[in-house]
Amino acid sequence: MTTPKKNWKTKLFVIIYGTNTPAGKLFDVILLYTIIASILLVMLESVKSIDQHYHTFLNISEWIITILFTVEYILRVVTAKRPWQYIFSFYGLIDLLSTIPKYISLFLGGIHALAALRALRLLRIFRILKLGRYLGASNNLLNALKASRAKISVFLFAVLIIAVILGTIMYMVEGEENGFSNIPKSVYWCIVTLTTVGFGDIAPQTPLGQFIAALIMILGYGIIAVPTGIVSVEYSNQASSTKNSDQNPAEIPQKICPNCLAENHREGAKFCYQCSEKL
Amino acid sequence: MTTPKKNWKTKLFVIIYGTNTPAGKLFDVILLYTIIASILLVMLESVKSIDQHYHTFLNISEWIITILFTVEYILRVVTAKRPWQYIFSFYGLIDLLSTIPKYISLFLGGIHALAALRALRLLRIFRILKLGRYLGASNNLLNALKASRAKISVFLFAVLIIAVILGTIMYMVEGEENGFSNIPKSVYWCIVTLTTVGFGDIAPQTPLGQFIAALIMILGYGIIAVPTGIVSVEYSNQASSTKNSDQNPAEIPQKICPNCLAENHREGAKFCYQCSEKL
Amino acid sequence: MTTPKKNWKTKLFVIIYGTNTPAGKLFDVILLYTIIASILLVMLESVKSIDQHYHTFLNISEWIITILFTVEYILRVVTAKRPWQYIFSFYGLIDLLSTIPKYISLFLGGIHALAALRALRLLRIFRILKLGRYLGASNNLLNALKASRAKISVFLFAVLIIAVILGTIMYMVEGEENGFSNIPKSVYWCIVTLTTVGFGDIAPQTPLGQFIAALIMILGYGIIAVPTGIVSVEYSNQASSTKNSDQNPAEIPQKICPNCLAENHREGAKFCYQCSEKL
Amino acid sequence: MTTPKKNWKTKLFVIIYGTNTPAGKLFDVILLYTIIASILLVMLESVKSIDQHYHTFLNISEWIITILFTVEYILRVVTAKRPWQYIFSFYGLIDLLSTIPKYISLFLGGIHALAALRALRLLRIFRILKLGRYLGASNNLLNALKASRAKISVFLFAVLIIAVILGTIMYMVEGEENGFSNIPKSVYWCIVTLTTVGFGDIAPQTPLGQFIAALIMILGYGIIAVPTGIVSVEYSNQASSTKNSDQNPAEIPQKICPNCLAENHREGAKFCYQCSEKL
């Protein structure tokens, strides 16, 4: 009889993938802190002076976290009803890629090129954003951003066109001798100026260049109003439409299909909307 | 009998100038990508290291695009009922000026001064903006920007006056030895600071200059609210007025007069409002 | 009999001080362009390379403008019923101070220290702002700014307190060796950072300093929303309250008292509200 | 009989801790100016050139202020019914710590390390913020900020995550040779760029790095709209809800418990809500 085993797997599944049981929440919170700790370790390792003094401590800590992540990965694969679907999912690949580099370093040593691979671990922070659903479920802000996404994209595309045209003009006006060595660099400078960042590593030197730069700045200063206006109005609409509705989606417990990992099932749904697995 | 020929010309006219037939849309999309490709080529050519390695490829690609643009230009002239009107129109001149430089380079060689002429091709990107009508027809944002144009202009004019006055004061306070070598440069610095760009190529060194600079920054930080407020309110008004109207201008197919190229004919119009040509 | 003379003076008074007769408007527009020309001259004079080449032209032009301003000043004094009141008014002093420097340069020569005095002429640009009444009479924006002035002041005061506290902390953290040579300079740096200007002439070098700087930036990025929110809401209120009122103050002709120069008389007023002079 | 003495203590208590009697207001205003003067002294002392010339004046002034603060501190301890509660309160500790350093300098001399301790005096400026209640009591802005605090925190947290991810990518792309010497520094640079501050002490040098930097800037330029939109809408809600209510909390005199220093007692309250002391 496999019932006890299946029960064990189902329980683990609910803890690891689910978020609406006490154990599931605890698992997610521990995972969150482990990821933050692992990010801090990657950060500290990149600082040479710290790495020299605390190399052993950092190395051991990272091994502990790597093993924890390995165990978690194996459990995720084992408990999922369709393991391959998980393995090739976005999060599955990140989980794998963020765990492997440390093992590879065993064979190849602490080669500098591996630093890049290890930093992939950082992408696991997206898993934290899964928790954002609690914060964001009833969040008008997210809806406002979604509603204004198309308009902001058009706006940013227009900004890009302006940057290309003005960047080319600046390349012709200032030329290579003043740091505007090619058109892509000029466009980069134009974006730096238009967004009011203004590094100053490249700055116009000719009077005409400075005049055009002043126009670009005033333009950038003026058009920053556009995305702000869009978000304000959309958010205002979202906020007023929420007042009228009395549903609070944050209250609805979130179910997850143990078969295909689909989320966001309808309230009271008995079967998964994707694979018809019983919930 | 010239009917078949006229039909051929009319068909081409609808494809090239019109935007509401499948062939016309396809033509515009191809044109869009060709312009983007040509801009990328101009950009890459300006990067010395790339130009040295891929000079032949870039040169051939540009010749292909130049020939495509030439064919397009000739077809536009041939199909237009009043060719001279097209040739001396804004887009007609850009079309010509963005195509010629490559041919001139045949006789004069790749002289650096011609780079400026070739970059004029970039102005063709404005033709892409013609496609913006699809996006923008029902766009409240554009209307909001038009409605707030006058107010934002007054605001930017006020910013300019402030910049001139404060720039002159900074010139008197800091003087030539600290980089404020003349009043136009000081005004330029003042705009850089007021718009919160802050390159840092010129920065006040005296305590009094830094004090005034701090005031300018706080002023700039405070008045950035003004255009934002204008756009927010106008956009909000546009959004609420659209809800009440049930017309959707984006749905109305756009006609174009084959004689005088006039656009924006009334719905159901049978004759051009400019030249009485039958539509 | 002094009637013809008085008529002559009254007519000139209406032209010079008034703005609601064709001649008065023409006078103001000419004055506007003369001031702009004089500002451009002051600007160009400050550019050494231009001053060397066109010194004679600039000098003669400035003399012409100075003489025009002198004539205008004398006419203003003569036509005003109470000349001393004009002479010691704000605009009267600016008119005098912006005209004198050129005459002084006759006796003292083109000494550099006089450049500062000549630049005072720039303050005459405020007279242009008088014309702003035409633009601004029915302007909700100005009312919105007045309504939110108190709140924005409180906000900017809070920003200043934050800048002082954080600036002192940065002075302690970074110290003189990293450019934070004293507390006022650190506070200046803090304002530069908080307002997202970011010159980069001073930048934190220690990890702790960079961490605090990052917090300051995020703070500045977050609180820029405050003045924007204030202006948006106030402007929105102004805009909606104007819709309900059907008075258009821009239509009311502006009268000016020929005796005491008081403006903004009530519609249909027969006597000046300040000096009871008949209007 | 201790009545006269108690009366004396109670009167002083009302003056020092209370803010709704003429004497109490006067005390607060004098304290405000003394704190501002002391801050200016600390600032001026940190400027070497000023300190060298006016050392004696600055030193004596600081001793006077230190003695005033000492007297105030002793009076606060004496008049408070529960002195220890005051001494270990937040303001009590700041009062003590901001007064002590000058006395310590007597024994240890003007050692540079003490400058840090003396600067703690600056924290007393928070006491000024107590006066902010007058300004802020009926202030919709403060309520709007409180209402949007959670949303802005989520937003800033998201900004931080983006900064960490993009900072690591920039560290991999640019590397140590271009100033991105470790991940924390890259994250710091990313915050500098995302918030449009743009110091320019670190700037990307590789084309790929500049491309990613351009994306970061456009992202930062776009998402600045988010906090602005939040504050605008919340402030708008606060403003409209205030119009409907006719209570003006600023009018209610503020009482303070002479025993436990609790504030914000209900209108007409006869006993302290914390310690039942008669008010």
Side-chain angles (χ1 to χ4, degrees), chain D residues 256-272:
Chain D
I256 189 163
C257 170
N259 185 38
C260 70
L261 308 182
E263 300 182 49
N264 301 322
H265 296 283
R266 290 178 67 110
E267 207 185 343
K270 288 184 181 166
F271 299 98
C272 175

Side-chain angles (χ1 to χ4, degrees), chain C residues 151 164-165 168 172 176 182-184 187 189 193 196-200 203-204 210 217-218 221 225 228-230 233-234, chain D residues 42-43 46-48 116 119 122 125-126 156 185 188 192 194-199 201 220 223-224 227-228 232 235-236:
Chain C
K151 277 160 197 164
V164 169
I165 293 169
T168 308
M172 292 190 282
E176 285 176 49
N182 51 55
I183 293 177
V187 172
W189 173 86
T193 307
T196 76
V197 171
F199 281 133
Q210 292 180 339
M217 283 167 224
I218 288 175
Y221 194 63
T228 308
I230 296 169
V233 171
E234 295 294 341
Chain D
V42 171
M43 280 186 160
S46 76
V47 184
K48 274 192 178 168
L122 206 79
I125 208 166
F126 283 117
L156 292 182
K185 205 166 192 175
Y188 159 73
V192 168
L194 207 57
T195 56
T196 77
V197 171
F199 281 134
D201 53 340
I223 60 176
I224 202 169
T228 308
S232 289
Y235 182 53
S236 176

Side-chain angles (χ1 to χ4, degrees), chain D residues 27 29-39 64-65 68-69:
Chain D
F27 179 83
V29 169
I30 290 171
L31 190 61
L32 176 63
Y33 284 112
T34 318
I35 292 167
I36 290 173
S38 106
I39 290 164
I64 292 168
I65 282 171
L68 283 176
F69 282 176

